Amino acid sequence: MNNLRLVKFSTFIFSILSIGTVYAQAIYPIDQAEILAGSKFDIKIEFSQVLKPEEVFIELNGVPANKAILSKSEFISNENGKGSSIIYRDVQLSKAGKYQVLARTPQEKLQVTWDVYASGPRRVKNVILFIGDGMTIANRTAARVLSKGIAEGKYQGRLAFDDMPSTAMIGTSGSDSLITDSANSMSAYTTGHKTAVNAMGVYVSRANDNLSHPKVETITELLKRKTKMSVGIVSDAELEDATPGAMVAHTRRRADKQYIADQLLASKAEVILGGGSAYFYPKSSKGSKRKDENNLVDTFKTDGYQIALTKQELIAAAQNKNTKKLFGVFHPDNMDGSLDRLFLKKNTVSQYPNQPDLTEMTQSAIDVLSRNPNGFFLMVEAALIDKFNHPLDWERAAFDTIMLSNAVQVAKDFAKTHPDTLIIVTPDHTHSGSISGVVHDDKPGPLREKVGIYADAGYPNYPKADIQGYPNQIDVTKRLAFFYGSYPDHYETLHPKLDGTFVPAVKGEDGKYVANSKYLQLQEDAIHVGGNLPSHQDVGVHTADDAVLNATGPGSEKFKGFMDNTEVFKIMVQTLGLGAK
């Protein structure tokens, strides 16, 4: 032991050798992990040195691993040249309580503690989880102003999730960073485990293969293994994107989109609706992004799914009372947002004019899933809130927040006649937007002087919204002054981008991103704003700000105060009784 000093930091212990390379060791699941009783997960222990199996001693609550863990172990003598590892696949701990894992070698000692929890009996028949991807408080406020109006300080209505009885503040940080992305933040909701940026359904270990990291069971897998409930996955992004992907996939890299498409098929979820058709068609098909000739659309059809490729086909299939399984893809990439589809007709709307609205996908999913007398779990993502917050396009984000509200109202209407339904509305993470005043075109002087603040702000003059909650004009003379706190170099116009989604920065000759001069050419008084993000970043980024969750229905009373994102999973599975024997 003379050449070894042990330093413990959380779940990691570092062997600092007087001569040689320093490698990290770890146990997965990590320290303080909370695990649903009876759920499946992998245990992995990584050592800093190359060992022989007989040099390793592992205990679970003081009992040797070969007696305490029923799963067979796999010993890797030297994983990627960084030391030995041991993996136990598909472990299950059936009894609730504290569990301590201790791993010893002649020169190392690793230790973590887990909390295994049970659930009690099932309390709810259906769960509908809405994800307003990247939705921050200012998105909600802007949507409420545009959709409901405000007079003399009082809003003239509320969004569908504003009046839900339960509210919580959700912490979104991952296992590796204060700032999360949609993969590991959604994975916390669907598995109850923390993981690292870009990962879903796994703990990030030192494995080289994206699919070989220690896995944790998703809520989709739990439901399919333990119940006869139906599962629905709806998103207006690519279905292979991080949020829908985290419902089914286990990968270190969210970019493994062909694998995620394959997992959507393998999941046997009864309803799958969204964009991303390019990964469901064979390589030889026009526009396909697959690397093989597998035609997943044909396989879905063979497996008994009704297929919908347009809004009209979706509605017809859902209204057919014989439809029990439904697969729909409506765009090769992310779908278009509501501002473009319904009003501006920009971006790719002319190419794909028959895309359904999120409300239509939500209604169709509920229609099909509710035919199962055993209940259902439905995840609906308003993905484009995030897709528009990134390029600082707050008007498009606001319109899609209104669309999310409309989709939530569809679920609330269903719950009126099906009160045994838990509805949750939450972001997976947040963005940095805030509303600072009102832009007045008639104010004299340079552009920045047109921003009214405090008493000079007054109120915007957007027209009264239509029956769906959308104003038919956004480039009015008094507009919200909405600013983002993290941004690349860009030109601020203080006007909505009527010709397509804002592209704030473009790559310069030196490879760094610079302000997109297109907007200076369109508006000569546009303000050049120097970015506050690294120069390799072309759009705004996620924030660590708490996410605001709203909920209603049986079990919703458990959402209160500040909560970790893994607790959202915990409440859902406890309400569904998935940890009961």
Side-chain angles (χ1 to χ4, degrees), residues 111-350:
Q111 181 176 304
V112 297
T113 301
W114 304 327
D115 181 18
V116 175
Y117 60 89
S119 69
R122 182 173 174 179
R123 294 183 52 203
V124 68
K125 182 176 181 179
N126 312 303
V127 173
I128 305 176
L129 172 64
F130 286 94
I131 303 295
D133 200 306
M135 182 174 65
T136 196
I137 290 176
N139 294 134
R140 295 172 59 140
T141 304
R144 196 181 306 111
V145 170
L146 270 62
S147 181
K148 307 302 179 184
I150 183 169
E152 296 183 312
K154 290 194 174 184
Y155 288 98
Q156 303 303 291
R158 297 186 179 186
L159 302 175
F161 38 88
D162 281 341
D163 60 358
M164 289 184 171
S166 297
T167 300
M169 307 294 289
I170 306 298
T172 63
S173 298
S175 62
D176 65 329
S177 176
L178 178 68
I179 309 300
T180 191
D181 90 313
S182 290
N184 58 327
S185 58
M186 185 60 181
S187 188
Y189 289 161
T190 60
T191 70
H193 291 263
K194 292 286 190 181
T195 189
V197 169
N198 288 323
M200 58 181 78
V202 296
Y203 279 102
V204 175
S205 68
R206 63 188 177 198
N208 275 343
D209 179 2
N210 289 348
L211 307 183
S212 295
H213 296 263
K215 298 176 177 63
V216 290
E217 194 167 27
T218 68
I219 195 164
T220 300
E221 291 167 324
L222 272 165
L223 290 165
K224 289 300 178 184
R225 182 169 63 85
K226 302 191 73 171
T227 79
K228 295 182 179 180
M229 294 174 65
S230 292
V231 175
I233 300 169
V234 173
S235 175
D236 52 8
E238 293 177 298
L239 283 164
E240 308 82 16
D241 204 13
T243 301
M247 287 286 291
V248 299
H250 304 274
T251 177
R252 170 64 183 94
R253 296 292 174 192
R254 58 181 287 180
D256 289 336
K257 292 186 177 182
Q258 178 173 308
Y259 157 77
I260 294 171
D262 293 341
Q263 291 303 111
L264 285 163
L265 173 64
S267 74
K268 300 188 184 301
E270 281 76 7
V271 173
I272 302 173
L273 304 173
S277 63
Y279 289 96
F280 292 100
Y281 287 104
K283 180 181 178 180
S284 56
S285 296
K286 183 180 178 180
S288 172
K289 295 181 181 178
R290 290 191 68 86
K291 298 178 181 179
D292 60 31
E293 287 299 321
N294 292 340
N295 189 325
L296 272 58
V297 176
D298 282 353
T299 307
F300 274 110
K301 189 173 183 179
T302 300
D303 288 350
Y305 287 78
Q306 293 295 310
I307 306 299
L309 304 180
T310 66
K311 173 173 68 174
Q312 294 80 3
E313 291 176 354
L314 171 68
I315 294 171
Q319 290 178 347
N320 183 338
K321 294 184 178 179
N322 293 321
T323 299
K324 302 296 174 61
K325 296 194 293 185
L326 177 59
F327 175 75
V329 278
F330 311 101
H331 197 289
D333 204 306
N334 299 319
M335 296 170 67
D336 285 301
S338 56
L339 178 58
D340 291 297
R341 281 188 297 101
L342 301 176
F343 296 97
L344 301 180
K345 308 301 180 183
K346 298 297 183 179
N347 291 337
T348 65
V349 173
S350 62

